[in-house]
Amino acid sequence: MQITADCHLHSSFSGDSDTPMEEMILQGIARGLKTMCFTEHNDFDYPVYPDLPEGYFLLNTDSYLYDLVRLKEKYQDRIRLLFGVELGLQPEVMHQNAVYAKTHDFDFIIGSSHICHGKDPYYPGFFDGRDKTAAIREYFESILDNIRKFSDFDVYGHLDYVVRYAPGQDEGYAYEAYRDILDEILKLLLEKGKGIELNTGGLKNGMHDVHPCTGILRRYRELGGELVTVGSDSHDARHIAAGFERSADILKNCGFRYYCVFEKRVPEYFRL
């Protein structure tokens, strides 16, 4: 396996996972990984849905770090374990995110958009009665707003997360249809020195392409972008490093020669 670092992982410290961290680590070792970075969810002001209690995506960071440090020591001779977080970005919580990002010495911070104007595309209500293209464009516009207002992250996560839950998923979806807004996003990320991730999480849900789609990855590279991490977005042990063989080929075909791992917020480059 050419990619030996999974940099987007959720254990039972994230509201939407019930898999113990140690189980994830043991599976990562079995899959031949050399590095795992846990990026537990922290989403301030996540909307209340009937199936979720309030505070569902608020992270008990001290408890998470305590367990990670214990396991890091236990498995220090077998795998490198890194301390990350996935911050849910919304304009209304930028100050909270800015304060939170400085509360601990994270190795890696993913900035992600799970909420667009008070709604998570995971729930059908985001697309109900709307044109799919218009809904996706609204989501991208919200990302641009987030990046303009917040900078304390290392890469933007699953940049086109919205298509994972769109009607027909990524069928008929392509970079070219949203070139104008996506180019603004990518150029602003580059201006701020930020990267993107190749996220394989949608593949297990039936998507044809990775997040973001190959066209966005290629365009990021054309614009001079080199900071790209790779993550399975796994919430259980079964999907750790899933799709990584395909991901290496995608990155190389898009013109990348390296992928990155962040430790102490500094990127380390590994040849593909």
Side-chain angles (χ1 to χ4, degrees):
M1 184 167 61
Q2 288 177 293
I3 297 172
T4 59
D6 193 334
C7 293
H8 192 146
L9 294 165
H10 300 280
S11 73
S12 56
F13 289 101
S14 290
D16 53 357
S17 172
D18 58 8
T19 307
M21 185 180 287
E22 189 163 18
E23 184 179 331
M24 302 279 283
I25 293 166
L26 289 171
Q27 180 61 20
I29 293 170
R31 289 295 309 270
L33 291 178
K34 295 180 180 178
T35 300
M36 296 173 73
C37 184
F38 286 89
T39 53
E40 309 293 0
H41 284 296
N42 193 76
D43 275 68
F44 291 115
D45 202 23
Y46 186 89
V48 176
Y49 285 97
D51 60 332
L52 299 182
E54 190 171 356
Y56 187 74
F57 284 115
L58 293 180
L59 177 60
N60 184 335
T61 314
D62 290 334
S63 180
Y64 158 42
L65 179 58
Y66 177 86
D67 221 29
L68 181 65
V69 169
R70 177 180 64 84
L71 293 168
K72 189 172 184 175
E73 182 176 353
K74 182 175 180 179
Y75 293 101
Q76 61 182 326
D77 296 329
R78 302 177 69 185
I79 195 165
R80 174 170 59 160
L81 300 176
L82 299 174
F83 177 41
V85 68
E86 183 178 10
L87 286 183
L89 304 187
Q90 299 183 69
E92 298 79 10
V93 299
M94 293 307 183
H95 178 70
Q96 286 172 277
N97 276 331
V99 172
Y100 176 81
K102 298 185 185 306
T103 60
H104 293 87
D105 293 326
F106 291 107
D107 287 306
F108 182 46
I109 297 179
I110 299 175
S112 291
S113 290
H114 299 115
I115 305 300
C116 174
H117 300 138
K119 293 182 178 180
D120 188 336
Y122 173 84
Y123 291 92
F126 184 78
F127 289 97
D128 283 353
R130 304 182 64 194
D131 175 73
K132 176 179 173 178
T133 300
I136 292 173
R137 179 170 288 275
E138 180 190 352
Y139 176 83
F140 287 142
E141 288 171 349
S142 75
I143 285 181
L144 187 59
D145 191 31
N146 287 337
I147 299 169
R148 284 173 174 154
K149 294 177 178 176
F150 187 75
S151 299
D152 202 355
F153 62 91
D154 302 305
V155 306
Y156 217 95
H158 44 52
L159 196 63
D160 52 11
Y161 163 87
V162 66
V163 303
R164 189 185 300 184
Y165 305 108
Q169 294 185 310
D170 56 349
E171 191 70 44
Y173 160 74
Y175 154 75
E176 287 74 16
Y178 307 91
R179 176 190 295 269
D180 56 336
I181 185 70
L182 287 170
D183 276 8
E184 281 194 76
I185 289 170
L186 296 176
K187 288 175 182 177
L188 186 55
L189 286 171
L190 288 167
E191 182 183 315
K192 291 192 169 194
K194 307 302 179 184
I196 59 176
E197 69 162 353
L198 187 160
N199 181 308
T200 63
L203 298 177
K204 66 179 182 290
N205 296 329
M207 284 180 55
H208 303 293
D209 206 348
V210 295
H211 289 301
C213 67
T214 303
I216 295 176
L217 289 164
R218 182 176 294 112
R219 182 58 175 156
Y220 175 73
R221 183 68 196 98
E222 287 173 353
L223 291 168
E226 294 185 320
L227 283 173
V228 60
T229 60
V230 184
S232 65
D233 206 349
S234 180
H235 291 64
D236 61 59
R238 293 174 300 155
H239 298 113
I240 291 171
F244 275 26
E245 294 83 0
R246 177 179 172 185
S247 298
D249 290 337
I250 288 173
L251 288 176
K252 285 189 284 188
N253 289 336
C254 288
F256 292 94
R257 294 179 296 162
Y258 305 92
Y259 69 96
C260 299
V261 173
F262 280 81
E263 186 169 7
K264 300 187 185 303
R265 309 290 302 277
V266 176
E268 180 181 359
Y269 291 85
F270 293 86
R271 183 173 287 278
L272 288 162

